[in-house]
Amino acid sequence: LMQEFATAQSGLVLTGNSHTTGQALPYQPLVQALRQALPLRDRWGQTLPIWLAEVSRLLPELRTCFSDLPPPVEIAPQQAQARLFEALVEVFRSLASGSPLLLCLDDVHWADEATVSWLEYVTKRLTGSNICLVATYRSHRAAALAEWRRALNRSRLVAPVRLAGLSELAVAKLLHGIGLDDITGQTLARRIHFATGGNAFFVLETIRELLETGQ
């Protein structure tokens, strides 16, 4: 669904994914997104060198693109994260100059603590930024996102979309679309829905398997 939404946009689309093993890698989805934007040198060039230098801690390739960057400022650890947060905001805002930026982050319930903290930070800076953030998470794993969700609700910038499984009727419509008659389709739809719980991916894979095996 997020891919469908992103495909319909005319601006810059950047994506990042979190994984079950990704919590040991700080800022992993943000680094993935920024790496996709490296060819857009003109947009990066609108960011002050001091902020690019900070982001180069996460994305060393920036120093290949901008060989004259100053070294990152060495400051106390408690201030370093705040400075990096601001640098990331400035970079994304620069990438959004000229045309809107859609930042798609998938499975943020698996995001590392630093990424979630940055999401809380950037929420206060989204207004007027030309940035649209789309994030997906599994509600039963969302405890780590509670503070960020509260920040989004306070900002009144969030449009939550709750996704449920396909209904038995929807599964029957899929089967009708591949040529099954109504009686056979309804019987099979009931069995598939029971076996998959309506999970769209499992439903489609089950139908595909049945087709490929002639069942």
Side-chain angles (χ1 to χ4, degrees), residues 14-16 28-38 92 103 105:
L14 301 177
T15 62
Q28 181 187 29
L30 303 180
V31 170
Q32 289 176 1
L34 291 174
R35 189 165 281 129
Q36 295 164 25
L38 280 174
F92 279 113
L103 178 58
L105 302 179

Side-chain angles (χ1 to χ4, degrees), residues 165-169 171 188-199 203:
L166 297 176
S167 66
E168 187 176 312
L169 177 60
V171 178
L188 186 56
R190 188 177 305 113
R191 295 176 63 186
I192 292 175
H193 186 270
F194 178 79
T196 63
N199 181 297
V203 168

Side-chain angles (χ1 to χ4, degrees), residues 1 16 18 28 36 41 45 52 57 68 96-97 110 120 125 139 141-142 149 155 157 163 170 199-200 202 205 208:
L1 184 61
S18 298
Q28 181 187 29
Q36 295 164 25
R41 182 160 180 169
L52 291 178
R57 297 177 188 268
D68 56 347
S97 62
W110 283 325
E120 295 172 17
R125 307 287 301 277
S139 54
R141 295 181 179 270
R149 291 164 62 196
S155 70
L157 294 174
L163 301 181
N199 181 297
F202 295 153
E205 289 301 301
R208 183 176 290 112

Side-chain angles (χ1 to χ4, degrees), residues 11-54:
L12 174 63
V13 178
L14 301 177
T15 62
N17 303 306
S18 298
H19 305 281
T20 52
T21 57
Q23 295 193 353
L25 300 172
Y27 307 103
Q28 181 187 29
L30 303 180
V31 170
Q32 289 176 1
L34 291 174
R35 189 165 281 129
Q36 295 164 25
L38 280 174
L40 306 174
R41 182 160 180 169
D42 289 346
R43 297 202 190 193
W44 286 92
Q46 298 184 49
T47 309
L48 291 176
I50 57 170
W51 299 129
L52 291 178
E54 286 298 320

Side-chain angles (χ1 to χ4, degrees), residues 13 23 33 35 69 80 85 90 103-104 108 110-111 113-115 119-121 131 139 141 148 160 178 186 191 199 206:
V13 178
Q23 295 193 353
R35 189 165 281 129
L69 287 182
F85 280 8
E90 290 297 324
L103 178 58
C104 297
V108 291
W110 283 325
E113 185 177 343
T115 296
L119 289 171
E120 295 172 17
Y121 181 87
I131 297 171
S139 54
R141 295 181 179 270
W148 180 41
I178 61 173
Q186 288 171 8
R191 295 176 63 186
N199 181 297
T206 301

Side-chain angles (χ1 to χ4, degrees), residues 174-187:
L174 286 172
L175 294 172
H176 180 76
I178 61 173
L180 290 187
D181 63 79
D182 289 344
I183 296 177
T184 304
Q186 288 171 8
T187 301

Side-chain angles (χ1 to χ4, degrees), residues 27 75-86 113-114 117-118:
Y27 307 103
I75 56 178
Q78 60 269 28
Q79 299 173 326
Q81 186 180 57
R83 187 177 178 88
L84 181 57
F85 280 8
E86 186 61 24
E113 185 177 343
S117 295
W118 182 79

